Amino acid sequence: MSFSKPIIATRAEGLRRLEAFLPHASGTYRDYRNHLSHPEGLPTVSKLSPWLRHRLITEQEVIDAVVDEHGVRAAEKFIQEVLWRSYWKGFLEQRPSLWTDYRREEFAIPSKHTGIECLDDWQQELEAAGYLHNHVRMWFASIWQFTLGRSWQSGADLFLRHLIDGDPASNTLSWRWVGGRQTNGKIYLATPGNIAKHTNGQYKPAQLATDVKPPAPPELPVRIPLPSTPVWQVTPKTALLIHEEDLHPEGLFGHPHWASVVALQSTSWRSGLPVSDVVNQFVAEALKDAGSRNTPSDSNDAACYLASESGFNALLAHLHNAKITQLLTPWAPCGPTADALAALEPLLKEKGVQLIRVPREWDLQLWPHATHGFFRFFKAVRAQHPLFEPTLQNE
Ligand SMILES: Cc1cc2nc3c(=O)[nH]c(=O)nc-3n(C[C@H](O)[C@H](O)[C@H](O)COP(=O)(O)OP(=O)(O)OC[C@H]3O[C@@H](n4cnc5c(N)ncnc54)[C@H](O)[C@@H]3O)c2cc1C
């Protein structure tokens, strides 16, 4: 199940794909989202995640469009799935040590030959396409941990290096969820029957683990406070910093007169091992697209730097030459980009440049509810978020 080529990493393409998927976001999605294919060839899932993960299109835009088309009730399943992304982000943002502890570990590149046909095929597909269907991700993570006895961390690292949508929150916490480390006494165990049913009989692996006990109840770290909105103002010496966590900065800042616009690519901070070309290319192109929509007042292009020592030095030199004293950037949630920004910030300070991270209203409203399980989060969001109000009254 791969993407139709080429995979165009632009906001326009994300919006086009959203439009194309809209008719399928209610009944078809509700009934077939766990299947890899549809009897009449309709799409069973949206494959919007590469665009959503980088906020080329935002969760709010997607849910707005779906609610407009179908109303909340008819599209509730799809809306819920999109909200899982916001939930995991809010959950990790309040417990960043789940990311930093995992990220400190080192892994070897895993073998591609496990002797389990479906797993080997899916790994090949992951590496070639940079995408796997959600149900495949669940089976993969389950077989990896329970049948092969490998660590969730090594599997999460493999996914994060190869998935275009590789996301620190959704990936880390989903691997933990499958392994029983998010919910007391609950694991996700892949079974041959379930795999056969949803792959239309393509796979029915015989040798999967069956008798698996959940690990000891997870001890989750104490929550830390969430970000709040800083005071900010664009001055003649303010530059915009674009990064891959939010590639629609104009939705946050509008189009003020930026003295300069720079972009930072931090894909290499996903892992200690090399990140795939598919991922690097998508993100590089997406940063370029965001740069073309957010231009500085006196030139057309945003300069793009890699989050490396030489990239940082070139970025600092650019800011110095442009006499920049303030860098505004969308909030980067816990993960590779936030790590890269944390390394960059003291270097900026030394050069007299203040870095200001601005969170989105969406995150400020939703993240505080990501305290326990998803369904408690969903109930709170549905009850309180204005997005759901008008449609609920009409239904
Ligand atoms: C082990 C494992 C690892 C995962 N790693 C990632 C990851 O690195 N990055 C990532 O974006 N998602 C991850 N997911 C979640 C989910 O599999 C993908 O978001 C989804 O498959 C993307 O495909 P889609 O756009 O066709 O989804 P659709 O089914 O069409 O859903 C629409 C949108 O809802 C969101 N969504 C759907 N399901 C989930 C979910 N379970 N968790 C969070 N958001 C969801 C995505 O933004 C998705 O684009 C992982 C799931 C598992 C089980």
Side-chain angles (χ1 to χ4, degrees), residues 140-155:
F140 193 113
S142 177
I143 298 170
W144 185 273
Q145 297 180 68
F146 302 129
T147 301
L148 297 178
R150 295 179 176 176
S151 73
W152 72 263
Q153 292 94 332
S154 62

Side-chain angles (χ1 to χ4, degrees), residues 122-361:
W122 293 330
Q123 185 166 339
Q124 204 175 1
E125 184 182 336
L126 166 71
E127 296 188 7
Y131 174 86
L132 288 176
H133 183 284
N134 180 59
H135 219 165
V136 173
R137 298 183 199 205
M138 290 165 66
W139 296 324
F140 193 113
S142 177
I143 298 170
W144 185 273
Q145 297 180 68
F146 302 129
T147 301
L148 297 178
R150 295 179 176 176
S151 73
W152 72 263
Q153 292 94 332
S154 62
D157 181 71
L158 174 74
F159 269 27
L160 202 57
R161 287 186 295 110
H162 288 282
L163 286 171
I164 300 174
D165 66 32
D167 179 273
S170 292
N171 191 56
T172 311
L173 301 176
S174 295
W175 274 87
R176 287 175 54 85
W177 177 84
V178 169
R181 288 172 174 83
Q182 284 295 121
T183 322
N184 265 354
K186 229 180 131 189
I187 57 167
Y188 175 77
L189 197 58
T191 65
N194 183 263
I195 295 174
K197 175 176 168 195
H198 293 97
T199 60
N200 220 0
Q202 186 182 3
Y203 299 110
K204 194 171 184 186
Q207 65 276 56
L208 302 189
T210 50
D211 188 19
V212 181
K213 303 235 173 336
E219 271 186 38
L220 293 170
V222 176
R223 281 186 275 138
I224 65 160
L226 285 165
S228 53
T229 307
V231 178
W232 61 274
Q233 193 186 8
V234 176
T235 74
K237 293 183 176 180
T238 302
L240 168 67
L241 172 66
I242 298 171
H243 55 67
E244 63 230 50
E245 296 297 330
D246 193 325
L247 292 172
H248 188 221
E250 67 272 35
L252 179 61
F253 298 120
H255 286 285
H257 287 285
W258 298 113
S260 179
V261 176
V262 289
L264 190 69
Q265 177 165 357
S266 38
T267 38
S268 63
W269 291 62
R270 285 190 185 191
S271 168
L273 291 171
V275 169
S276 84
D277 290 346
V278 182
V279 170
N280 282 322
Q281 279 162 18
F282 184 95
V283 173
E285 198 188 319
L287 283 164
K288 231 164 106 186
D289 176 61
S292 74
R293 285 180 272 111
N294 295 274
T295 49
S297 357
D298 60 356
S299 90
N300 288 326
D301 281 326
C304 185
Y305 302 92
L306 295 178
S308 60
E309 198 182 330
S310 58
F312 283 174
N313 287 338
L315 172 61
L316 293 168
H318 173 91
L319 296 176
H320 179 74
N321 291 339
K323 300 192 170 46
I324 299 301
T325 57
Q326 182 178 263
L327 206 48
L328 269 187
T329 196
W331 184 267
C334 176
T337 305
D339 294 346
L341 291 182
L344 177 64
E345 190 168 19
L347 306 177
L348 289 168
K349 219 179 211 164
E350 263 177 35
K351 302 282 180 200
V353 181
Q354 189 192 10
L355 179 67
I356 302 181
R357 305 163 171 88
V358 182
R360 277 183 183 266
E361 206 46 44

Side-chain angles (χ1 to χ4, degrees), residues 29 46-49 81 85 131 134 137 165 167 171:
Y29 186 79
S46 71
K47 292 183 167 178
L48 285 171
S49 53
E81 296 304 318
R85 171 176 301 285
Y131 174 86
N134 180 59
R137 298 183 199 205
D165 66 32
D167 179 273
N171 191 56

Side-chain angles (χ1 to χ4, degrees), residues 114-123 202-205 207:
T114 61
I116 302 174
E117 186 197 359
C118 56
L119 202 77
D120 293 351
D121 286 357
W122 293 330
Q123 185 166 339
Q202 186 182 3
Y203 299 110
K204 194 171 184 186
Q207 65 276 56

